[in-house]
Amino acid sequence: MTSNRSGLRLLLLFLVVLLAGCAVLEEPSEEAGAPGPEPREEATPAPDDEPGTAAVERLMIEARDASNDGDHERAGALLERALRIAPDSAVLWHNLAIVRYREEAYDQAEQLAQRSLSHADGNAELQRRNWEIIAVSRHMNGDADGAEAARSRAAGLQEAGGD
Amino acid sequence: MVGGLWLVLVAAGGYVAWLDYQVRSQFEGKRWSVPATVYARPLELYPGLALSRDGLLAELDAAGYRPAAGGQRPGTWAQDGDRLRLTTRAFGYWDGREPARTLALRFADGRLQSLRDPDSGEPVDLARLDPATIGAIAPTRREDRLLVQLDDVPVSLIGALLAVEDRRFHRHFGVSPSGIARAAMANIRAGRIVQGGSTLTQQLVKNLFLTGEQTFTRKVNEAIMAVLLELRYDKRDILETYLNEVFIAQDGDRSVHGFGLAAQYFFGEPLDALRIDQQALLVAMIKGPSYYNPRRNPERARQRRNLVLGVMADTGVIEADVARTARQRPLDVLEQRRQPRHDYPAFMDLVQRHLQRDYRREDLQSEGLRVFSTLAPTVQHAAEEAVTHRLDRSGDALEAAVVMLDLDAGEVSALVGGRDPGFAGFNRALDARRPIGSLIKPAVYLAALERPAAWGLGSVLDDTPLRIEDERGNEWAPRNFDGEFRGDVLLVDALAHSYNIPAVRLGQEIGVNAVTSLVRRLGQNAPRRAYPSYMLGTAELSPMEVAGMYQVFANQGFSTPLRSVRAVTDAAGEPLRRYRLSTERVVDPEPMYLLNHALGEVMREGTGRNARATLPAGMTVAGKTGTTNDYRDSWFAGFSGDTLGVVWLGRDDNAGIGLTGSSGALGIWADALSATAVRGFQPTRPEGVKPLWIDQDTGARSHQSCSGSRELPYVVDHAPEEWTECGRRSGDDNGGGGGLLQRWFGD
């Protein structure tokens, strides 16, 4: 069945993204008191049969490759292209937040993660990752209290929605 | 004597050095002013895309595609059974070059059902249609050209050019005495001028550096400079420059230079796609662009083309039988204006203002920049169509402006600046700042809903006569549009029906400053000191500014700076600048959701309900009407899930037009949105908001089973404290969801 095949494809994609993401992740800060969990990797889209799923996947993979090569401008442009196809995709907003984070554009990283949250209902794992981006972005902007608040939101989601 | 000779030699040497300097500085520096080219957004094709066959054909037309058997040549399409076959043109985007590719498309139910490579049969995930050219940023009288590189020019065309204009090009040193003799002989043999005596280099020098006057001095200068050019540069450089410089046609106030643009202008094709006969025709025209213009003088042009074909065969550029076949072909030039050159003056104005933040005007006019704009040709056409259709029967003085946005991207997809969309006059979409009337009210109500402890959609507002002091200390008594007073009305209904008195009272209670500070958060200017009449829309905004304000509502509390340009590259396609998507939450999700519910009520039950008849069935939308005193301005601003539209109608002299927002602007908005919107507006309900049943007269808590009850969203923890008797009774063992609600909202 198509849905099984697309499920398998998404699982494979997830593994690819996970490995690639981990391998090149930049550490946000060397200093003591660096925030706990950091944005680890781009998330993968939820399996669905929305129009343009394959197009969005392709653009996401290209964006990930560009970002891992350090070409964040191109990665951002590719994710914007994908967002024009799937504007409600929490995953795309999340990945764009990660790209901005990697460029050290922390304000936009937080705002884009907020935007991702507004589409991430019922996806506790993605919500948690967004709160982590918000926490580290605030930390990098010197907002310790805000970072702490975001971190505890992330931690709460870990307990509640781990599985 | 000797001294005199020296003097002459030094003077001559100085003169030549000066000419050499002229040659070098102009040839090496900017050889031409090339206007910036502005492109529409490229259409992204993918399976499942909401796009009808007709919609695609409109996009293809805007991008200058033509029907042609097979659809195999770049820039053509063809019907292929129940499929459409098309071949895109290779195109350099900001993010890289995409090659030409042939695609097979099948449509069903208003969607692109499948997208395949017709040769392999493999599905294609994603393809970009090369974008329409929507304009150039150039001085009014201008030379226009589409630069080509020598390697992209067909060998046969170069062969034809040299055979006709300069056979000894590769052997001479700039001037060619024997070429002049040969040309004279050929002309005598033919009994008329078939060859010119000047070399290509001399022609180029004449065009680049000298004026057109026929004097002896000029001839001498031309010869010296031609030699200097040959000394300094190689033949390939000179030939390539010639191919781009040569004047081929006049198109109104635009002169068409170079073979690249000529190919587009006469045949709608890139140069390397031209047939032999078409190449010959372009070469034929050089001798007399006006005299041999194939549109005005087709017979003359045909004869000269055939002469060129003969020369090509004689000199071995092509075989004799190829020439024979080519001579039989019709001229095949496009009708004038068949060219995809729709004008978008209002949008182009916006693009120029956008770019002038980062570029000097001279650079925009001369550096050949490539500007990737956000214009969506189909949306633009829908907006123009809506304006011209509805304004057709109205008086001439009635003017209009429309702004359309692609919401999530924050991109301006269409702009209409007046009732004649092709007329480049006063750009009302950007420059007409007019009182916005009731379009301000959502800001008033949102400022209240941001205080959920005090205000909810079911709060009861007082719609009874009101007298207050205005800014000059005079007594002011706001009135409702219909002159009625309704006593108690629910907040949601007061907004949906646009009652004035409750809005002024509410503004008084929350304070004018709360409203103005919210307006500033929505990205607009607001007076430091505002008066109660501010609640009824004395603020003056342009349609574009209204769009900036309403996109925050449509994007559920996120503000996205509006863009008309995605990226700019230099003439060679190197990325220069990208304008990024950015976003910022400026309104919390809960009050935003409540306000949007009320803006949805405007369309379901309120002043916007007439749009339903026009909109596709089931398309949920939200919006607000606006009308100003004496019917001077008719406004509507509203959105679906993907598209926002703002429409203004009024007169430049500010006289009344006899239309309300509902009877005027709403109709244009509904037409434009019906043709473009795909997704309905279905905001995600934030976790902090739940639906509740309340009594529609008193706003007290009630129950689904009670008469007069109505469901409204409320912020959790801020449900009405009062209960109706029926609601209290039924709420105890609530079957209609009230039991669950009680746990969330119970006191």
Side-chain angles (χ1 to χ4, degrees):
Chain A
M1 261 182 59
T2 28
S3 65
N4 275 343
R5 277 182 51 212
S6 85
L8 182 63
R9 197 174 56 200
L10 285 163
L11 184 65
L12 284 172
L13 181 64
F14 178 77
L15 290 172
V16 169
V17 167
L18 192 73
L19 293 171
C22 288
V24 298
L25 185 83
E26 304 162 11
E27 294 295 316
S29 170
E30 303 286 316
E31 63 191 275
E38 287 139 13
R40 286 242 154 246
E41 69 278 317
E42 297 93 338
T44 46
D48 58 14
D49 290 311
E50 283 285 298
T53 305
V56 168
E57 279 176 18
R58 211 188 85 188
L59 291 167
M60 270 176 66
I61 293 170
E62 282 182 45
R64 180 209 61 207
D65 293 347
S67 180
N68 287 349
D69 289 346
D71 190 349
H72 302 302
E73 194 61 57
R74 181 176 160 77
L78 288 161
L79 289 171
E80 285 185 32
R81 257 182 94 187
L83 274 168
R84 285 194 284 269
I85 297 171
D88 291 339
S89 164
V91 170
L92 289 174
W93 289 106
H94 175 82
N95 287 5
L96 192 54
I98 291 181
V99 169
R100 295 288 182 260
Y101 177 84
R102 289 178 174 176
E103 301 178 288
E104 304 176 9
Y106 301 118
D107 286 335
Q108 272 305 298
E110 166 169 1
Q111 291 297 337
L112 291 160
Q114 294 274 13
R115 190 109 184 213
S116 175
L117 278 171
S118 75
H119 294 290
D121 264 16
N123 187 344
E125 175 57 17
L126 192 58
Q127 290 177 21
R128 185 183 62 73
R129 293 194 200 185
N130 279 313
W131 282 113
E132 282 173 5
I133 295 179
I134 294 170
V136 292
S137 299
R138 286 177 179 171
H139 173 86
M140 297 308 287
N141 271 341
D143 173 10
D145 292 350
E148 187 49 44
R151 208 159 17 244
S152 72
R153 295 288 297 262
L157 284 158
Q158 188 127 38
E159 288 160 21
D163 270 303
Chain B
M1 193 64 193
V2 173
L5 187 61
W6 271 111
L7 203 63
V8 169
L9 280 176
V10 168
Y15 184 64
V16 170
W18 181 75
L19 288 180
D20 184 48
Y21 170 77
Q22 293 278 308
V23 167
R24 269 186 301 134
S25 60
Q26 296 208 41
F27 196 81
E28 262 168 33
K30 199 164 36 190
R31 287 176 208 178
W32 306 282
S33 286
V34 182
T37 306
V38 182
Y39 298 99
R41 62 99 183 86
L43 181 66
E44 304 261 9
L45 297 170
Y46 52 88
L49 171 67
L51 178 73
S52 66
R53 191 175 163 283
D54 288 348
L56 177 72
L57 291 181
E59 288 277 352
L60 290 176
D61 190 55
Y65 278 61
R66 293 194 297 157
Q72 297 278 28
R73 294 209 312 178
T76 65
W77 60 271
Q79 190 68 37
D80 178 15
D82 67 337
R83 285 164 198 270
L84 202 73
R85 185 186 287 235
L86 65 85
T87 303
T88 65
R89 305 184 187 101
F91 193 84
Y93 293 92
W94 173 87
D95 53 2
R97 194 168 174 80
E98 268 186 31
R101 69 195 295 189
T102 303
L103 300 165
L105 303 87
R106 194 162 50 79
F107 295 90
D109 308 323
R111 287 192 181 274
L112 176 56
Q113 217 64 29
S114 93
L115 182 65
R116 288 178 186 280
D117 179 328
D119 299 327
S120 66
E122 288 292 304
V124 173
D125 291 343
L126 181 63
R128 270 190 284 198
L129 202 64
D130 48 295
T133 302
I134 61 166
I137 300 174
T140 2
R141 277 195 73 80
R142 65 190 204 266
E143 291 183 6
D144 201 3
R145 46 172 60 78
L146 207 64
L147 296 184
V148 292
Q149 293 187 324
L150 193 57
D151 291 337
D152 298 333
V153 180
V155 175
S156 50
L157 190 150
I158 293 171
L161 177 70
L162 297 186
V164 174
E165 297 289 333
D166 187 358
R167 287 192 197 179
R168 289 176 44 80
F169 177 71
H170 285 293
R171 293 190 295 276
H172 65 62
F173 52 91
V175 291
S176 169
S178 63
I180 292 169
R182 186 189 310 270
M185 286 303 293
N187 295 343
I188 291 163
R189 260 205 313 276
R192 60 209 146 112
I193 308 283
V194 293
Q195 287 180 30
S198 301
T199 64
L200 284 190
T201 317
Q202 281 170 289
Q203 293 184 34
L204 180 60
V205 163
K206 185 174 77 184
N207 294 343
L208 280 181
F209 310 124
L210 303 167
T211 59
E213 49 175 339
Q214 289 285 352
T215 64
F216 180 72
T217 331
R218 207 216 62 173
K219 272 284 178 203
V220 171
N221 281 345
E222 180 187 295
I224 297 172
M225 288 169 98
V227 174
L228 289 170
L229 205 59
E230 293 273 351
L231 285 172
R232 291 267 177 205
Y233 305 98
D234 72 23
K235 294 279 183 188
R236 287 179 57 85
D237 277 344
I238 293 168
L239 186 55
E240 185 177 282
T241 309
Y242 181 91
L243 290 164
N244 284 309
E245 167 55 36
V246 64
F247 169 62
I248 302 186
Q250 188 67 35
D251 173 31
D253 58 12
R254 176 177 83 139
S255 51
V256 176
H257 286 252
F259 284 92
L261 184 61
Q264 282 295 342
Y265 178 67
F266 285 108
F267 305 114
E269 304 267 6
L271 189 55
D272 56 8
L274 297 191
R275 296 187 310 259
I276 292 291
D277 57 295
Q278 294 171 321
Q279 298 173 16
L281 180 60
L282 293 186
V283 169
M285 271 181 264
I286 292 172
K287 200 169 128 53
S290 169
Y291 191 79
Y292 294 111
N293 183 314
R295 290 192 179 115
R296 264 177 298 159
N297 306 314
E299 185 47 32
R300 237 182 247 160
R302 202 183 58 79
Q303 283 181 13
R304 167 103 185 137
R305 178 198 71 180
N306 290 350
L307 185 84
V308 171
L309 285 165
V311 173
M312 287 169 81
D314 290 348
T315 50
V317 175
I318 51 174
E319 299 293 334
D321 57 329
V322 173
R324 228 177 350 261
T325 321
R327 278 201 203 97
Q328 303 307 316
R329 302 215 57 130
L331 288 177
D332 254 1
V333 292
L334 295 177
E335 283 167 38
Q336 191 118 24
R337 284 281 159 186
R338 172 60 194 76
Q339 279 290 98
R341 279 195 47 227
H342 187 94
D343 291 321
Y344 306 96
F347 189 86
M348 285 293 290
D349 181 28
L350 176 65
V351 166
Q352 296 206 35
R353 293 189 204 194
H354 185 147
L355 292 175
Q356 274 170 21
R357 283 181 243 149
D358 300 311
Y359 294 93
R360 295 185 311 145
R361 186 167 191 86
E362 308 86 80
D363 292 344
L364 291 172
Q365 291 178 345
S366 65
E367 296 296 326
L369 301 181
R370 291 149 55 86
V371 177
F372 296 85
S373 85
T374 60
L375 182 101
T378 42
V379 180
Q380 177 72 29
H381 292 152
E384 293 181 2
E385 192 74 355
V387 167
T388 45
H389 175 67
R390 298 258 176 175
L391 261 57
D392 221 18
R393 288 173 303 253
S394 66
D396 279 344
L398 183 59
E399 277 296 350
V402 181
V403 180
M404 305 283 286
L405 302 184
D406 178 355
L407 273 171
D408 293 273
E411 296 184 340
V412 182
S413 50
L415 204 65
V416 177
R419 65 177 291 149
D420 177 3
F423 177 70
F426 181 42
N427 193 347
R428 294 165 191 82
L430 306 185
D431 294 329
R433 282 204 172 68
R434 303 291 290 249
I436 61 171
S438 301
L439 293 190
I440 193 71
K441 284 179 187 161
V444 179
Y445 288 88
L446 182 55
L449 293 167
E450 285 190 324
R451 296 154 175 74
W455 306 100
L457 291 178
S459 296
V460 176
L461 303 184
D462 181 4
D463 185 17
T464 57
L466 170 69
R467 289 181 187 284
I468 44 182
E469 274 191 7
D470 74 3
E471 55 268 40
R472 286 182 291 274
N474 299 324
E475 195 170 72
W476 177 54
R479 291 161 53 84
N480 289 326
F481 182 74
D482 59 4
E484 304 283 315
F485 303 99
R486 285 171 184 76
D488 289 346
V489 291
L490 297 193
L491 185 147
V492 60
D493 295 329
L495 179 57
H497 296 283
S498 204
Y499 301 141
N500 288 334
I501 297 170
V504 175
R505 272 215 176 84
L506 185 61
Q508 294 279 85
E509 286 192 49
I510 56 177
V512 182
N513 288 342
V515 179
T516 51
S517 83
L518 175 60
V519 167
R520 281 186 212 106
R521 254 194 291 146
L522 297 173
Q524 307 309 320
N525 291 327
R528 195 169 314 182
R529 179 154 165 64
Y531 299 95
S533 56
Y534 188 79
M535 309 306 157
L536 299 184
T538 51
E540 296 180 351
L541 296 182
S542 70
M544 187 61 128
E545 288 166 335
V546 170
M549 182 166 144
Y550 273 69
Q551 55 96 10
V552 178
F553 307 154
N555 281 323
Q556 299 170 51
F558 284 93
S559 174
T560 302
L562 302 185
R563 292 178 295 171
S564 60
V565 177
R566 288 180 185 170
V568 178
T569 73
D570 69 10
E574 280 300 306
L576 293 180
R577 196 181 288 267
R578 205 171 78 76
Y579 296 93
R580 294 170 162 200
L581 169 70
S582 68
T583 192
E584 185 188 359
R585 181 173 278 294
V586 294
V587 179
D588 284 339
E590 295 81 11
M592 196 68 255
Y593 183 83
L594 300 187
L595 180 78
N596 280 332
H597 182 85
L599 293 178
E601 280 297 292
V602 172
M603 309 308 289
R604 286 184 288 269
E605 304 288 341
T607 52
R609 65 186 178 280
N610 287 340
R612 260 194 319 217
T614 310
L615 292 167
M619 167 72 69
T620 47
V621 290
K624 186 72 195 80
T625 49
T627 312
T628 59
N629 286 348
D630 306 323
Y631 304 97
R632 288 195 182 108
D633 305 273
S634 161
W635 286 97
F636 192 81
F639 43 91
S640 66
D642 50 15
T643 307
L644 180 141
V646 175
V647 177
W648 169 84
L649 294 180
R651 287 171 55 130
D652 290 342
D653 63 8
N654 218 6
I657 58 170
L659 293 170
T660 62
S662 194
S663 65
L666 179 65
I668 292 175
W669 177 88
D671 280 357
L673 225 79
S674 309
T676 54
V678 172
R679 289 182 298 125
F681 179 63
Q682 276 146 341
T684 329
R685 179 156 50 78
E687 280 176 27
V689 171
K690 300 288 176 199
L692 274 188
W693 288 92
I694 56 129
D695 182 69
Q696 64 179 1
D697 294 325
T698 62
R701 289 287 299 282
S702 185
H703 186 266
Q704 185 175 15
S705 63
C706 302
S707 74
S709 69
R710 164 181 187 180
E711 201 176 29
L712 286 177
Y714 272 84
V715 173
V716 175
D717 296 338
H718 295 294
E721 287 171 9
E722 301 280 317
W723 282 81
T724 63
E725 190 47 43
C726 169
R728 173 77 70 190
R729 244 189 355 258
S730 319
D732 286 340
D733 61 336
N734 238 300
L740 202 56
L741 286 172
Q742 267 214 284
R743 257 179 283 136
W744 283 323
F745 291 104
D747 17 26

